[in-house]
Coordinates of all heavy atoms in Angstrom, one line a residue:
Chain A
M29 N 125.5 207.6 81.1 CA 126.4 208.7 81.7 C 127.8 208.6 81.3 O 128.7 207.9 81.9 CB 126.3 208.5 83.3 CG 126.5 207.0 83.7 SD 126.4 206.9 85.5 CE 124.7 207.0 85.8
R33 N 134.5 207.2 82.7 CA 135.3 205.9 82.6 C 136.4 205.9 83.6 O 136.9 207.0 84.0 CB 135.9 205.8 81.2 CG 135.1 204.9 80.3 CD 135.5 205.0 78.8 NE 134.4 204.5 78.0 CZ 134.1 203.3 77.9 NH1 134.8 202.4 78.7 NH2 133.1 202.9 77.2
K43 N 152.6 206.1 82.5 CA 154.0 205.9 82.7 C 154.6 205.0 81.7 O 155.6 205.2 81.0 CB 154.3 205.4 84.1 CG 154.5 206.5 85.2 CD 155.8 207.2 85.0 CE 156.3 207.9 86.3 NZ 155.3 208.5 87.2
D60 N 150.1 197.0 91.1 CA 149.2 197.0 92.3 C 149.9 196.4 93.5 O 149.8 196.9 94.6 CB 147.9 196.3 92.0 CG 147.0 197.0 91.0 OD1 147.2 198.3 90.8 OD2 146.1 196.4 90.4
D66 N 155.0 197.6 101.8 CA 156.1 198.5 102.2 C 157.3 197.5 102.5 O 158.2 197.9 103.1 CB 155.8 199.3 103.4 CG 155.4 198.4 104.6 OD1 155.1 197.2 104.4 OD2 155.4 198.9 105.7
D73 N 157.9 186.4 95.5 CA 156.9 187.0 96.5 C 155.8 187.7 95.7 O 154.7 187.5 95.9 CB 157.6 188.0 97.4 CG 158.5 187.3 98.4 OD1 158.3 186.1 98.7 OD2 159.4 188.0 98.9
Y75 N 155.1 187.3 92.5 CA 154.4 186.4 91.7 C 153.3 185.8 92.5 O 152.1 185.7 92.0 CB 155.4 185.3 91.2 CG 154.7 184.1 90.6 CD1 154.0 184.2 89.4 CD2 154.7 182.9 91.2 CE1 153.4 183.1 88.8 CE2 154.0 181.8 90.7 CZ 153.4 181.9 89.5 OH 152.8 180.8 88.9
T89 N 156.9 186.7 83.4 CA 156.4 188.0 83.1 C 156.8 188.9 84.3 O 157.1 190.1 84.2 CB 154.9 188.1 82.9 OG1 154.6 187.3 81.7 CG2 154.4 189.5 82.8
T98 N 162.8 198.5 86.6 CA 164.1 198.9 87.1 C 164.8 199.9 86.1 O 165.4 200.9 86.5 CB 165.0 197.7 87.4 OG1 164.4 196.9 88.3 CG2 166.4 198.1 87.9
Q99 N 164.7 199.5 84.9 CA 165.3 200.4 83.8 C 164.6 201.7 83.7 O 165.3 202.7 83.5 CB 165.3 199.7 82.5 CG 166.3 198.5 82.3 CD 166.5 198.2 80.9 OE1 167.2 197.2 80.6 NE2 166.0 199.0 80.0
M100 N 163.3 201.7 84.0 CA 162.5 202.9 83.9 C 162.8 203.8 85.1 O 162.5 205.0 85.1 CB 161.1 202.6 83.8 CG 160.6 202.0 82.4 SD 158.8 202.1 82.2 CE 158.3 200.8 83.2
V104 N 163.6 199.9 92.5 CA 165.0 199.7 92.8 C 165.2 198.3 93.1 O 164.4 197.7 93.8 CB 165.5 200.6 94.0 CG1 166.9 200.4 94.3 CG2 165.2 202.0 93.8
K105 N 166.3 197.7 92.6 CA 166.6 196.3 92.8 C 167.7 196.1 93.9 O 168.7 196.8 93.7 CB 167.0 195.7 91.5 CG 167.4 194.2 91.5 CD 167.9 193.8 90.1 CE 168.1 192.3 90.0 NZ 168.6 192.0 88.6
K122 N 153.2 204.7 100.4 CA 153.2 203.6 101.5 C 154.5 203.7 102.3 O 154.4 203.8 103.5 CB 153.1 202.2 100.8 CG 151.7 201.8 100.4 CD 150.9 201.5 101.6 CE 149.5 201.1 101.2 NZ 148.9 202.1 100.3
A132 N 176.5 191.3 108.1 CA 177.3 190.5 107.2 C 177.3 189.0 107.6 O 177.7 188.2 106.9 CB 178.7 191.1 107.1
I138 N 168.0 195.6 108.7 CA 167.4 196.7 109.6 C 167.1 197.9 108.7 O 168.0 198.4 108.1 CB 168.3 197.0 110.8 CG1 168.5 195.8 111.7 CG2 167.6 198.2 111.6 CD1 169.5 196.1 112.8
F143 N 168.5 210.3 109.8 CA 169.5 211.0 109.1 C 169.1 211.3 107.7 O 170.0 211.6 106.8 CB 170.9 210.3 109.1 CG 171.3 210.0 110.5 CD1 171.1 208.7 111.0 CD2 171.9 210.9 111.2 CE1 171.5 208.4 112.3 CE2 172.3 210.6 112.5 CZ 172.1 209.4 113.1
F150 N 173.4 216.1 101.6 CA 174.5 215.5 100.9 C 174.2 215.1 99.5 O 174.9 215.4 98.5 CB 175.1 214.4 101.7 CG 176.0 213.4 100.9 CD1 177.2 213.9 100.4 CD2 175.6 212.1 100.7 CE1 178.0 213.0 99.7 CE2 176.4 211.3 100.0 CZ 177.6 211.7 99.5
D165 N 172.2 210.7 84.0 CA 170.9 211.1 84.5 C 170.5 210.2 85.7 O 170.0 209.1 85.5 CB 169.8 210.9 83.3 CG 168.5 211.4 83.7 OD1 168.3 212.0 84.8 OD2 167.5 211.0 83.0
I171 N 171.9 203.2 99.6 CA 172.9 203.4 100.6 C 172.7 202.2 101.6 O 171.6 202.0 102.1 CB 172.7 204.7 101.4 CG1 172.9 205.9 100.4 CG2 173.6 204.8 102.5 CD1 172.8 207.2 101.1
F173 N 174.6 199.9 104.8 CA 175.7 199.8 105.8 C 175.9 198.3 106.1 O 174.9 197.6 106.4 CB 175.5 200.5 107.0 CG 175.5 202.0 106.8 CD1 174.4 202.8 106.6 CD2 176.8 202.7 106.9 CE1 174.5 204.2 106.4 CE2 176.9 204.0 106.7 CZ 175.7 204.8 106.5
G175 N 177.8 195.3 108.5 CA 178.5 195.1 109.7 C 177.9 193.9 110.5 O 177.3 193.0 109.9
K179 N 173.1 190.7 117.8 CA 173.2 189.3 118.1 C 174.5 188.7 117.7 O 175.2 188.0 118.4 CB 172.0 188.5 117.4 CG 170.7 188.8 118.0 CD 169.7 187.7 117.5 CE 168.3 187.9 118.1 NZ 167.7 189.1 117.4
K183 N 179.1 187.0 119.8 CA 179.2 185.6 119.6 C 180.6 185.2 119.5 O 181.4 185.8 118.8 CB 178.5 185.1 118.3 CG 177.0 184.9 118.5 CD 176.4 184.4 117.2 CE 174.9 184.2 117.4 NZ 174.2 183.8 116.1

Side-chain angles (χ1 to χ4, degrees):
Chain A
M29 45 182 77
R33 258 167 202 292
K43 272 287 200 329
D60 287 344
D66 61 342
D73 289 339
Y75 168 69
T89 296
T98 301
Q99 286 199 188
M100 289 193 286
V104 184
K105 181 181 183 181
K122 281 288 181 304
I138 298 175
F143 306 98
F150 161 64
D165 184 14
I171 296 183
F173 290 97
K179 289 199 181 69
K183 277 183 179 171

